[in-house]
Structures are given as C-alpha cells and as structure tokens.
Amino acid sequence: MKFGTKAIHAGVEPDPSTGAIMTPIYQTSTYVQASPGDHKGYEYSRTHNPTRDALQKSIAALENGNHGLCFSSGLAAIDAVIKLLSPGDEVIAANDLYGGTYRMFTKVFAKYGIKFHFVSLEKADSISELINKNTKLIWLETPTNPMMNIIDIAAVSEIAKKHNLLLAVDNTFATPYLQNPMDMGADIVMHSVTKYLGGHSDVVMGALVVNDEKLKDDLAFIQNSCGATPGPQDCFLVLRGIKTLHIRMDRHCENGRKVAEFLKDHPKVENVYWPGLESHPNHEVAKKQMKDFGGMISFTLKGDSKAEAFRIMESFRFFSLAESLGGIESMVNHPATMTHASIPREERLKIGLLDSLIRLSVGIEDADDLIADLKAALA
Ligand SMILES: *Cc1c(COP(=O)(O)O)cnc(C)c1O
C-alpha cells in the first residue's frame, strides 16, 4: 500500500457491529464480561480501547513499523521510553532538542540516576567516544527544533547497532510522510501527535512505533502501568486528521519553500534555517533521507534584536503567535522565551538559538497571503 492509501485505510475497518465506515468513538471505561475472564480482548480502557487500537495500527503502518502505542502527550511517550532504563544507565542525546524533552531528561530523570550526554550528532563519529558499558540509548530529533539541523539517521543507526544500543528518533517535524526512521535502522520512532499527525491544533497526544515484539511488550507494560493513555475522543480526532496528512504535507512543503526563499533574500534577515535551501549545511543529508523539506522554518534578524523580533511577531495577521506547530494554520513562536525558555541562555547561544530567532510553522493557507503578511511585518 502506498502512503496516501495507508493514510486513509490502514488500521481502520468498518465497525463489526454496524458497518459504520468511520471508527466509532468507544467512549467507555470498561467492558462487560460473560464470566470472569471471558471477554473479547477488552477489559479496561487504560489497557485497550478499540478507537485507540485503530489509531495505533494506523500510525504504525504510516511509519512502516509493526506496533504503535499512543500516549496522552508527546512527552508521555518520551517518558515511557526513558522508563525502559534503570539507574546507572546512560543516554546519548542530540544537543538540539525540543525544550520539554531536555527539561524531562535533565530535571526529572537525571535525579533517578540516569545520565544524559548532550552532543552534536551531526558528526556521527563524536558519538563513539561517549559510548561505554552503561550506554543504552541514543535519542535524537531530525530536523531539530528549532535550529532545523539534520542528523544522518542511517549513520547514527550504524553506530547504535555496532554497540547494541537502542536508537530512538523523534520524527515529529518530518512526519512519516517525509521520513521513515525505521527504514533507516531506528528501533523506536516517537511523535508528538499534537503536531502534524493531528494537524488541526485540537488534540494533545503522543505515539511510539516499534518493530521488536519484546520492546513493544515492555512499552505496553509501561503504558498500562503508568497510565498516560489518550481518550477515545482524541483518538478519533487524530484518525480523522491522518486521512489528509499526505495532502496537508504537500502544501506545507510547497508553502515552506516559498516562505524560505522569500526570507533568504530579505535585507533584514540574517540567517534562514530550512533544510531545503542549498545553503543549509546538511542539505545533502536531508535530500537523502527526506522526501521533501517540510513547513518548519527558523530565521534570525540582522543585529539580533529581541525587541525587533517581538515587534515583528506581534504585527502578523495570519501567523498566530503561539506555542505548538504543525496545524493547518500558520504559527509563529519565539523559542528563546517560549518553547525553549527552559534551556539556559549560554546553552542555547552555543547552538545558535539567538534572542532574535523566530520560528515559523508555515500552514496551508494561500502562500501569497503568507508572503504578504511576512513582507508587511518585516517592513
Ligand atoms: C511538541 C513536541 C514534543 C512534545 O510533545 P507534546 O505533545 O507537546 O507533549 C516533543 N518533540 C517535539 C519535536 C515537539 O515539537
């Protein structure tokens, strides 16, 4: 099955009791048993729910994986992965991560005795030096948030395999339409479903996809034991969102290109970070592992004035100033004070996350209106 067909059909069957073409919202906490233990595979909705099952199958199919697991947020999905580890275990993580991921690693799990090393994973060689007998997991995002760096998944996977480490890839920015990390050797693919998979800024949810049966069992055990599962109504909304993922992404990419080209030539703009630009340092890797380059773009201003960045962000008509991304509507964010405020200033300056950095989530509106909006705001 090709992607567009999977987006519409994978995981969903007509409802067995009525033939309903849309998966019903099984709004139930429990299931009646004929006698103790005599049930149809459903006992309690934290453990299993038919609406969630359909969504988990759909997301697994989109990522070319065998098993999907949904969580009540993207961070809850990451939390489940780290709970596979034990005190003393070490993680090698990319140094350019979603702020909430960094916060969870450093402020929550570090105190449980798990050690995190943050490094630039763009040069795969730098990983090997950090590996020791306690290393268990490599965690990365690509493209990264908000610097839009590209990490060569296949190259990192080769190292992970050589040392018997798990490789987890946060695929939120690329989506399964543009990039499938499992095909490049990742063991775990993670999504903030809140973003492009849901796609309509109306749900908070996370997901994991794995191939290995034991890994699935371990994660399902954590999912059920710790209990951060999504409700059926949210699962339904995401099932609905996924049906248009491929056509939304085509438009996000097309608009992303137009906006990046416009910004690149603008006299007030210093740097534009978008992997589709030939000037992007890892454009070739992006071309190799992504189908297209997406609608996430960051840029800095000449002179790096935070006040000027604020003025621009406050004067948009169509780019809503908001946390989050990946919805049909365009959004703008100031990472230094919003999504990435939990990263110390010195740390973020090291990766180029300057005070004037503005992050755009380019939506699927008419590109002419978006460019006009940018032109007016930057004037
Ligand atoms: C938003 C986001 C997360 C966290 O997901 P939530 O659904 O907000 O919990 C993780 N990684 C990336 C790349 C994100 O953009």
Side-chain angles (χ1 to χ4, degrees), residues 72-78 97-101 139 141 143-145 170-173 190-195 203-206 324-325 339 359:
S72 53
S73 69
L75 286 179
I78 300 173
L97 289 178
Y98 174 67
T101 308
W139 184 277
E141 301 171 17
T144 66
N145 177 7
D170 179 339
N171 204 29
T172 300
F173 270 36
M190 176 263 155
H191 280 282
S192 170
V193 172
T194 314
K195 316 296 167 52
V203 173
V204 172
M205 196 190 293
S324 200
L325 59 107
T339 45
R359 189 190 77 183

Side-chain angles (χ1 to χ4, degrees), residues 15 28 32 43 54 59 63 98 101 198 217 252 259 271 307 362 365 376:
D15 181 49
T28 186
V32 177
E43 299 170 86
I59 295 177
E63 281 292 6
Y98 174 67
T101 308
D217 288 344
H252 282 298
V259 167
N271 282 311
V362 180
E365 299 95 335

Side-chain angles (χ1 to χ4, degrees), residues 8 59 69-70 79 83-84 146 148 212 217 254 287 328:
I8 288 158
I59 295 177
L69 298 121
C70 287
D79 173 82
K83 284 174 177 162
L84 292 167
M148 305 305 297
D212 185 78
D217 288 344
E254 190 186 314
K287 252 176 35 189
I328 53 314

Side-chain angles (χ1 to χ4, degrees), residues 7 28-29 36 50 58 81 118-119 131 147-148 152 188 193 202 218 228 230 235 266 289 294 311 322 362:
T28 186
S29 60
S58 166
V81 174
F118 296 95
V119 285
I131 297 175
M147 298 311 299
M148 305 305 297
D152 187 333
I188 302 172
V193 172
D202 50 12
D218 290 350
C235 292
H266 197 282
Q289 70 187 18
R311 189 201 61 76
V362 180

Side-chain angles (χ1 to χ4, degrees), residues 18 22 35 104 147 167 224 226 273 319 336:
T18 63
M22 284 306 298
S35 73
M104 185 196 301
M147 298 311 299
L167 171 61
N224 185 45
C226 297
Y273 302 94
F319 286 87

Side-chain angles (χ1 to χ4, degrees), residues 49-125:
N49 175 282
T51 317
R52 190 174 100 213
D53 282 354
L55 176 61
Q56 293 185 151
K57 284 191 189 133
S58 166
I59 295 177
L62 296 181
E63 281 292 6
N64 300 330
N66 293 335
H67 307 286
L69 298 121
C70 287
F71 294 83
S72 53
S73 69
L75 286 179
I78 300 173
D79 173 82
V81 174
I82 305 303
K83 284 174 177 162
L84 292 167
L85 306 177
S86 303
D89 286 348
E90 297 189 14
V91 178
I92 297 173
N95 63 352
D96 179 14
L97 289 178
Y98 174 67
T101 308
Y102 178 85
R103 180 176 60 194
M104 185 196 301
F105 289 178
T106 54
K107 299 255 167 74
V108 180
F109 282 110
K111 72 172 188 248
Y112 289 93
I114 295 167
K115 192 165 171 188
F116 296 88
H117 301 273
F118 296 95
V119 285
S120 161
L121 295 182
E122 282 158 90
K123 292 191 187 62
D125 314 345

